[in-house]
Amino acid sequence: MNTPDKEAIVFVHGLLGFSAYSILGKEIQYFRSLRAHLQNDPRQIFFPALPPNSIIEVRAQALANFLARIRADRIDLIAHSMGGLDSRYLIHHLDPMHRVRSLTTLATPHHGSPLATWSIEKPNLFFRAMYNMATPAVHDLTPESCARFNQEISNRADVSYTSYASARPVRDMPLLLRPWTRMIAADSGDNDGMVSVASAQWGTFKGTLQADHFELTGWSFAVPSARKARPFNYVSFYLDLVNGF
C-alpha cells in the first residue's frame, strides 16, 4: 500500500512556462502561490521547470529526468496547456516503471490550436513576434501536428486520463486576449483565448471551467468582477483536485 511519502503530485507548466524565479526579491511562480496552499499536504508536491519553448520530445525528456530523481511509487501529473502533451509523451515513452498513475490536463491543446498555425503562416508583426518566442515548440501545436501526435501516442491502460477545458466570452476577456478569443471562436468555437474547448478534451472530460487560459494558473489580467466570477477561484479548484487523488 502506498503511503503519503511514497506518493508525488507533479505540476507541469505550459509553453514559455517556468517553475519560479525571483524578481526584485519577490518569487514569481507559474502556478501562482500554489506551493503555499499545498504545503500541508502529506504527499510530495513538485513544480519542475521544463525547457520553455522546446519541442514536446525535449520537454518530456526533461520531465522524465526530473521524475527519475523522485522517490515515489505513485505519481499523479497535473498539466497546464502544452504540459499535457509533454506528459502524454512521457507516459507513453518514458515511464518504464509505470509509476505515473494519472494525468489531469487543463486547457491542453490535444487537437492543436489555430494560434500556432497563424503564428507560423501570418506575416504580420504580432504573429511573427509570437513565432520567434515560441519556436520550435509552436510547430508541435498546430492541429496537423497534434493529429499526428494523437495517432502515435496512445493512452496507457493503467493510467487515468482526465481533462478540463476553460472558456470565457470575448466581452469577459482581458484586452490582451480578446482578439485571439474572437479569432479562435470563429475557427473552433468557445475558447479561453488560446485553446478551444473542443481541443482541450481528452480521456474523461470533466467540463469547462469559467476562466481564461492564464486564470487557470492563478494569474488574472482583468478587473475583478463578481458578476463575471473573476478571478477564477484556482486555489479551491486545485485543492479539490488533489484531494480527489
Side-chain angles (χ1 to χ4, degrees):
M1 177 181 294
N2 284 331
T3 57
D5 64 326
K6 291 293 187 180
E7 300 176 20
I9 299 173
V10 180
F11 288 81
V12 186
H13 67 70
L15 175 67
L16 302 180
F18 53 93
S19 175
Y21 63 86
S22 181
I23 229 176
L24 298 176
K26 180 178 178 60
E27 185 176 71
I28 306 297
Q29 300 169 3
Y30 182 89
F31 290 94
R32 182 171 173 254
S33 304
L34 201 52
R35 297 174 195 263
H37 292 288
L38 294 173
Q39 63 183 350
N40 293 324
D41 194 293
R43 294 161 294 189
Q44 303 174 83
I45 309 289
F46 298 101
F47 297 84
L50 308 184
N53 62 350
S54 292
I55 62 174
I56 293 170
E57 182 178 356
V58 172
R59 286 167 54 96
Q61 185 60 63
L63 180 59
N65 294 343
F66 181 90
L67 297 185
R69 301 192 294 271
I70 293 176
R71 296 174 61 87
D73 299 322
R74 175 192 173 110
I75 298 173
D76 295 290
L77 300 176
I78 299 174
H80 178 244
S81 198
M82 185 180 179
L85 300 177
D86 308 325
S87 299
R88 285 176 54 202
Y89 186 99
L90 174 137
I91 291 168
H92 185 84
H93 285 299
L94 303 171
D95 182 32
M97 301 300 292
H98 284 208
R99 294 192 300 159
V100 176
R101 305 304 302 184
S102 77
L103 168 63
T104 303
T105 62
L106 309 166
T108 288
H110 292 289
H111 305 283
S113 173
L115 272 181
T117 302
W118 298 332
S119 71
I120 295 168
E121 296 179 353
K122 287 187 178 293
N124 71 57
L125 191 61
F126 178 80
F127 280 111
R128 183 52 50 186
M130 181 189 295
Y131 176 81
N132 290 338
M133 286 191 299
T135 296
V138 68
H139 292 276
D140 279 354
L141 302 177
T142 66
E144 294 76 17
S145 292
C146 287
R148 291 192 295 270
F149 179 86
N150 292 336
Q151 290 179 341
E152 298 167 3
I153 306 298
S154 58
N155 287 356
R156 214 172 72 200
D158 62 332
V159 174
S160 171
Y161 294 82
T162 300
S163 61
Y164 291 85
S166 57
R168 283 190 180 277
V170 174
R171 66 181 180 276
D172 291 349
M173 284 289 187
L175 292 177
L176 172 68
L177 292 179
R178 286 185 187 181
W180 303 352
T181 306
R182 193 174 289 110
M183 292 172 69
I184 297 172
D187 181 271
S188 314
D190 292 343
N191 66 91
D192 63 4
M194 290 194 170
V195 177
S196 71
V197 170
S199 184
Q201 299 184 37
W202 192 262
T204 301
F205 181 56
K206 291 290 191 177
T208 303
L209 304 171
Q210 189 175 351
D212 66 47
H213 201 72
F214 298 113
E215 282 182 282
L216 292 178
T217 58
W219 297 95
S220 181
F221 300 110
V223 177
S225 169
R227 181 183 64 82
K228 299 176 182 178
R230 176 179 287 280
F232 171 66
N233 191 345
Y234 73 102
V235 172
S236 176
F237 171 76
Y238 284 114
L239 289 178
D240 288 344
L241 188 60
V242 301
N243 287 336
F245 291 151

